[in-house]
Amino acid sequence: MRASVLSCSYPELGEDGSVVAVSGTLTDITHLKWAERLQKQRTDEAVEAKRQHEAFIDMTCHEIR
């Protein structure tokens, strides 16, 4: 799996407004992306299971009539 990184950078400006330095941070958010994909997969599976359950109930009710 590829690493996911969130980055932010900020310029440090001199008195004349020119960029003197740039500082920044990198944050590894790989675990958050993994959890997000897992949650989406489980949600999709639950929606499909509910759809199948409703189709089964509809068919059963139709057969009973």
Side-chain angles (χ1 to χ4, degrees):
M1 174 171 38
R2 255 178 96 195
S4 296
V5 179
L6 178 66
S7 66
C8 295
S9 57
Y10 309 93
E12 182 181 331
L13 303 177
E15 290 182 18
D16 63 351
S18 63
V19 176
V20 175
V22 176
S23 57
T25 61
L26 295 175
T27 305
D28 182 4
I29 59 170
T30 304
H31 62 288
L32 296 174
K33 291 294 189 175
W34 174 84
E36 189 177 71
R37 282 192 302 274
L38 181 62
Q39 183 177 14
K40 181 176 180 351
Q41 177 185 351
R42 289 185 177 169
T43 300
D44 292 346
E45 289 170 355
V47 167
E48 176 60 18
K50 181 175 178 171
R51 186 196 66 76
Q52 289 179 5
H53 179 73
E54 289 174 350
F56 174 77
I57 295 295
D58 288 347
M59 182 178 62
T60 302
C61 289
H62 177 76
E63 293 298 322
I64 289 174
R65 287 185 218 144

